Amino acid sequence: MTKKTDATDMNFKALVKQHIETQALSEQGLARMQSHSIEAPSIDSDSVAMAQSRETETLAGDPTVRRASSNWYLLRLKSLVALAASVLLLVLSVQWYPEISRQGEVGGSRGLAVSDMHAKIANEVAKNHIKMKPLEVQTAQLSQLRAYFTELDFTLVSSSRIDDAKQMIGGRYCSIQGLTAAQIRFVDPPQSVTLYEVQYDKRLYGEIPIIESGEAPIELVVRGVAVSIWVEKGLLMATARSIE
């Protein structure tokens, strides 16, 4: 009876000891976990800001980064300058046509505005007038001019805008925008006046005032030369005279 009781006491004591050891191990493990948690470094916003600042300073001190930044600003500046120049050229092109001083719009019922083609015709006529190349035929008679200009696709005619005070002295071949034309020279003291006649091709020359319809000629000043352009008797005509 005594031996059995002693054995039971020993087993009970062993179980109590095992429980105590297990509990101690658990508490130690928990303590270690809490210790690790406390010792873990914390991350705050100030540390992040300082790290970013140091990184920025490092990049700013890098020559490669400085060169890249400088090149970017230079390209940006060039782009802005090019844009400003383009805007300036656009404004100037709207206000001024090269070598052309426009003197208003075409009168008459249709009120045709001066077009680029009108300006090209005026510029070509003014050049021919300034050069004053030698006459190919000298005559004061329209019939003799007709006899000379055999390579034209039209017949020379007189113009109502050339008054009797102007004396015909001759003529020569020329061209207006690629079509063969006649240049007829007059003397209107104290200056010379040149009359140009060419076949009127509406597809090439566009709308030109017809004086028989009461429309006023196009009036332009080109290279110091006053130019008038109109259609009369089915022909495109133009006169040029130097401005005093």
Side-chain angles (χ1 to χ4, degrees):
M1 179 67 176
T2 302
K3 292 181 179 180
K4 184 176 182 180
T5 302
D6 292 340
T8 302
D9 291 339
M10 289 179 64
N11 290 336
F12 177 76
K13 291 179 180 179
L15 290 175
V16 171
K17 181 180 180 181
Q18 184 179 358
H19 175 73
I20 293 172
E21 290 177 352
T22 301
Q23 186 68 24
L25 289 175
S26 298
E27 291 177 353
Q28 292 176 2
L30 179 59
R32 286 197 299 271
M33 290 179 62
Q34 290 177 347
S35 175
H36 288 309
S37 175
I38 293 172
E39 293 175 358
S42 61
I43 300 177
D44 56 24
S45 57
D46 293 338
S47 299
V48 173
M50 292 178 62
Q52 290 177 344
S53 177
R54 287 195 297 271
E55 182 179 0
T56 301
E57 292 175 357
T58 302
L59 291 176
D62 190 340
T64 303
V65 175
R66 289 201 303 271
R67 286 196 299 271
S69 178
S70 177
N71 292 337
W72 184 88
Y73 281 112
L74 182 60
L75 291 175
R76 183 66 174 176
L77 179 60
K78 289 182 178 180
S79 299
L80 292 175
V81 171
L83 178 60
S86 300
V87 173
L88 179 61
L89 289 176
L90 178 61
V91 172
L92 292 178
S93 65
V94 171
Q95 294 182 347
W96 302 96
Y97 188 90
E99 302 177 334
I100 299 296
S101 174
R102 299 182 178 182
Q103 297 184 333
E105 298 182 347
V106 179
S109 58
R110 287 186 291 179
L112 296 177
V114 176
S115 69
D116 289 343
M117 176 54 69
H118 300 156
K120 290 179 181 179
I121 295 172
N123 192 52
E124 189 170 11
V125 166
K127 284 182 179 180
N128 289 329
H129 178 80
I130 293 171
K131 289 179 180 179
M132 283 289 179
K133 291 183 179 180
L135 294 170
E136 297 173 1
V137 56
Q138 297 183 8
T139 180
Q141 302 296 322
L142 181 60
S143 59
Q144 293 181 5
L145 281 180
R146 287 173 175 170
Y148 174 77
F149 286 103
T150 57
E151 297 182 12
L152 298 175
D153 294 332
F154 58 92
T155 300
L156 290 177
V157 297
S158 60
S159 173
S160 61
R161 291 183 57 82
I162 303 296
D163 55 48
D164 295 336
K166 297 179 178 62
Q167 181 182 354
M168 181 190 298
I169 61 175
R172 61 174 290 110
Y173 281 104
C174 66
S175 66
I176 297 180
Q177 294 300 298
L179 293 185
T180 303
Q183 181 194 82
I184 307 171
R185 196 170 301 169
F186 296 85
V187 175
D188 185 13
Q191 62 180 323
S192 297
V193 177
T194 50
L195 170 68
Y196 302 83
E197 296 186 3
V198 68
Q199 182 177 350
Y200 177 46
D201 186 343
K202 187 175 180 180
R203 293 172 298 178
L204 174 62
Y205 299 121
E207 293 285 347
I208 304 291
I210 302 174
I211 62 173
E212 288 97 339
S213 300
E215 298 171 346
I218 297 169
E219 304 286 347
L220 298 172
V221 175
V222 188
R223 301 171 181 265
V225 177
V227 178
S228 300
I229 306 171
W230 71 94
V231 170
E232 183 179 0
K233 299 176 181 178
L235 300 179
L236 187 155
M237 298 188 184
T239 57
R241 61 178 179 80
S242 299
I243 300 175
E244 297 297 330

mmCIF file of all heavy atoms in Angstrom, residues 7 40 66-67 71 92 97 112 138 144 160 163 177 192 201 215 227:
data_model
loop_
_atom_site.group_PDB
_atom_site.id
_atom_site.type_symbol
_atom_site.label_atom_id
_atom_site.label_comp_id
_atom_site.label_asym_id
_atom_site.label_seq_id
_atom_site.Cartn_x
_atom_site.Cartn_y
_atom_site.Cartn_z
ATOM 1 N N ALA A 7 4.645 5.544 -5.506
ATOM 2 C CA ALA A 7 4.741 5.587 -6.978
ATOM 3 C C ALA A 7 3.803 6.627 -7.549
ATOM 4 O O ALA A 7 4.148 7.367 -8.472
ATOM 5 C CB ALA A 7 4.415 4.206 -7.548
ATOM 6 N N ALA A 40 13.447 46.040 -32.775
ATOM 7 C CA ALA A 40 13.296 46.269 -34.236
ATOM 8 C C ALA A 40 13.338 47.746 -34.516
ATOM 9 O O ALA A 40 12.658 48.521 -33.859
ATOM 10 C CB ALA A 40 11.981 45.676 -34.721
ATOM 11 N N ARG A 66 24.459 66.825 -64.078
ATOM 12 C CA ARG A 66 24.463 68.267 -64.374
ATOM 13 C C ARG A 66 24.444 68.524 -65.873
ATOM 14 O O ARG A 66 23.762 69.412 -66.360
ATOM 15 C CB ARG A 66 25.705 68.902 -63.737
ATOM 16 C CG ARG A 66 25.652 68.993 -62.222
ATOM 17 C CD ARG A 66 26.611 70.064 -61.713
ATOM 18 N NE ARG A 66 27.975 69.823 -62.157
ATOM 19 C CZ ARG A 66 28.864 69.087 -61.480
ATOM 20 N NH1 ARG A 66 28.510 68.528 -60.339
ATOM 21 N NH2 ARG A 66 30.091 68.932 -61.931
ATOM 22 N N ARG A 67 25.227 67.741 -66.639
ATOM 23 C CA ARG A 67 25.243 67.920 -68.097
ATOM 24 C C ARG A 67 23.886 67.616 -68.706
ATOM 25 O O ARG A 67 23.406 68.320 -69.592
ATOM 26 C CB ARG A 67 26.320 67.027 -68.711
ATOM 27 C CG ARG A 67 27.745 67.517 -68.476
ATOM 28 C CD ARG A 67 28.700 66.822 -69.411
ATOM 29 N NE ARG A 67 28.705 65.386 -69.204
ATOM 30 C CZ ARG A 67 29.514 64.777 -68.345
ATOM 31 N NH1 ARG A 67 30.371 65.479 -67.624
ATOM 32 N NH2 ARG A 67 29.479 63.461 -68.213
ATOM 33 N N ASN A 71 21.688 70.299 -70.786
ATOM 34 C CA ASN A 71 21.240 70.036 -72.159
ATOM 35 C C ASN A 71 19.730 70.146 -72.281
ATOM 36 O O ASN A 71 19.204 70.651 -73.272
ATOM 37 C CB ASN A 71 21.697 68.644 -72.599
ATOM 38 C CG ASN A 71 23.200 68.565 -72.761
ATOM 39 O OD1 ASN A 71 23.857 69.595 -72.965
ATOM 40 N ND2 ASN A 71 23.756 67.365 -72.684
ATOM 41 N N LEU A 92 4.369 88.775 -89.714
ATOM 42 C CA LEU A 92 4.922 89.611 -90.777
ATOM 43 C C LEU A 92 4.405 89.200 -92.139
ATOM 44 O O LEU A 92 4.148 90.044 -93.003
ATOM 45 C CB LEU A 92 6.455 89.529 -90.751
ATOM 46 C CG LEU A 92 7.144 90.173 -89.535
ATOM 47 C CD1 LEU A 92 8.647 89.969 -89.610
ATOM 48 C CD2 LEU A 92 6.807 91.653 -89.452
ATOM 49 N N TYR A 97 3.378 91.468 -97.910
ATOM 50 C CA TYR A 97 3.664 90.527 -99.004
ATOM 51 C C TYR A 97 5.008 90.930 -99.591
ATOM 52 O O TYR A 97 5.241 92.097 -99.848
ATOM 53 C CB TYR A 97 2.585 90.597 -100.094
ATOM 54 C CG TYR A 97 2.716 89.525 -101.130
ATOM 55 C CD1 TYR A 97 2.065 88.307 -100.966
ATOM 56 C CD2 TYR A 97 3.496 89.714 -102.252
ATOM 57 C CE1 TYR A 97 2.190 87.312 -101.909
ATOM 58 C CE2 TYR A 97 3.632 88.718 -103.197
ATOM 59 C CZ TYR A 97 2.973 87.519 -103.023
ATOM 60 O OH TYR A 97 3.093 86.533 -103.935
ATOM 61 N N LEU A 112 -13.174 92.010 -106.151
ATOM 62 C CA LEU A 112 -12.143 90.995 -106.035
ATOM 63 C C LEU A 112 -10.975 91.504 -105.202
ATOM 64 O O LEU A 112 -10.487 92.613 -105.407
ATOM 65 C CB LEU A 112 -11.627 90.594 -107.424
ATOM 66 C CG LEU A 112 -12.639 89.937 -108.365
ATOM 67 C CD1 LEU A 112 -12.002 89.682 -109.713
ATOM 68 C CD2 LEU A 112 -13.138 88.638 -107.767
ATOM 69 N N GLN A 138 10.449 98.612 -133.991
ATOM 70 C CA GLN A 138 10.160 100.010 -133.714
ATOM 71 C C GLN A 138 9.110 100.504 -134.702
ATOM 72 O O GLN A 138 9.336 100.499 -135.910
ATOM 73 C CB GLN A 138 11.429 100.869 -133.818
ATOM 74 C CG GLN A 138 12.492 100.496 -132.805
ATOM 75 C CD GLN A 138 13.722 101.401 -132.877
ATOM 76 O OE1 GLN A 138 13.732 102.418 -133.582
ATOM 77 N NE2 GLN A 138 14.776 101.035 -132.156
ATOM 78 N N GLN A 144 1.562 97.366 -137.893
ATOM 79 C CA GLN A 144 2.932 96.866 -138.053
ATOM 80 C C GLN A 144 3.334 95.976 -136.870
ATOM 81 O O GLN A 144 4.088 95.012 -137.046
ATOM 82 C CB GLN A 144 3.892 98.042 -138.206
ATOM 83 C CG GLN A 144 3.695 98.826 -139.496
ATOM 84 C CD GLN A 144 4.669 99.974 -139.629
ATOM 85 O OE1 GLN A 144 5.576 100.154 -138.806
ATOM 86 N NE2 GLN A 144 4.504 100.776 -140.689
ATOM 87 N N SER A 160 -8.439 100.834 -124.209
ATOM 88 C CA SER A 160 -9.091 102.097 -123.870
ATOM 89 C C SER A 160 -8.358 102.839 -122.758
ATOM 90 O O SER A 160 -8.606 104.025 -122.536
ATOM 91 C CB SER A 160 -10.541 101.834 -123.444
ATOM 92 O OG SER A 160 -10.578 100.995 -122.291
ATOM 93 N N ASP A 163 -4.356 106.417 -123.625
ATOM 94 C CA ASP A 163 -4.920 107.583 -124.316
ATOM 95 C C ASP A 163 -4.015 108.039 -125.456
ATOM 96 O O ASP A 163 -2.882 107.577 -125.619
ATOM 97 C CB ASP A 163 -5.166 108.734 -123.330
ATOM 98 C CG ASP A 163 -3.923 109.106 -122.544
ATOM 99 O OD1 ASP A 163 -2.849 109.282 -123.155
ATOM 100 O OD2 ASP A 163 -4.008 109.204 -121.298
ATOM 101 N N GLN A 177 3.777 84.701 -116.570
ATOM 102 C CA GLN A 177 3.507 83.421 -115.909
ATOM 103 C C GLN A 177 3.539 82.250 -116.900
ATOM 104 O O GLN A 177 2.671 81.382 -116.906
ATOM 105 C CB GLN A 177 2.180 83.469 -115.166
ATOM 106 C CG GLN A 177 2.168 84.427 -113.986
ATOM 107 C CD GLN A 177 3.206 84.076 -112.931
ATOM 108 O OE1 GLN A 177 3.164 83.002 -112.333
ATOM 109 N NE2 GLN A 177 4.144 84.984 -112.700
ATOM 110 N N SER A 192 8.348 106.584 -119.521
ATOM 111 C CA SER A 192 7.904 105.516 -120.410
ATOM 112 C C SER A 192 6.813 104.693 -119.737
ATOM 113 O O SER A 192 6.808 104.514 -118.514
ATOM 114 C CB SER A 192 9.068 104.604 -120.786
ATOM 115 O OG SER A 192 10.053 105.308 -121.511
ATOM 116 N N ASP A 201 -6.215 83.254 -119.669
ATOM 117 C CA ASP A 201 -6.546 81.888 -119.264
ATOM 118 C C ASP A 201 -7.011 81.959 -117.810
ATOM 119 O O ASP A 201 -6.194 82.106 -116.893
ATOM 120 C CB ASP A 201 -5.332 80.978 -119.400
ATOM 121 C CG ASP A 201 -5.658 79.514 -119.132
ATOM 122 O OD1 ASP A 201 -6.721 79.240 -118.532
ATOM 123 O OD2 ASP A 201 -4.854 78.639 -119.506
ATOM 124 N N GLU A 215 -15.786 96.988 -113.984
ATOM 125 C CA GLU A 215 -14.895 96.653 -112.865
ATOM 126 C C GLU A 215 -13.579 97.414 -112.987
ATOM 127 O O GLU A 215 -13.010 97.519 -114.079
ATOM 128 C CB GLU A 215 -14.638 95.147 -112.816
ATOM 129 C CG GLU A 215 -15.910 94.348 -112.590
ATOM 130 C CD GLU A 215 -15.693 92.863 -112.750
ATOM 131 O OE1 GLU A 215 -14.639 92.468 -113.280
ATOM 132 O OE2 GLU A 215 -16.582 92.098 -112.343
ATOM 133 N N VAL A 227 1.598 99.365 -111.108
ATOM 134 C CA VAL A 227 1.098 98.338 -112.046
ATOM 135 C C VAL A 227 -0.422 98.280 -111.976
ATOM 136 O O VAL A 227 -1.004 98.290 -110.887
ATOM 137 C CB VAL A 227 1.696 96.957 -111.722
ATOM 138 C CG1 VAL A 227 1.127 95.896 -112.664
ATOM 139 C CG2 VAL A 227 3.219 96.999 -111.795
#
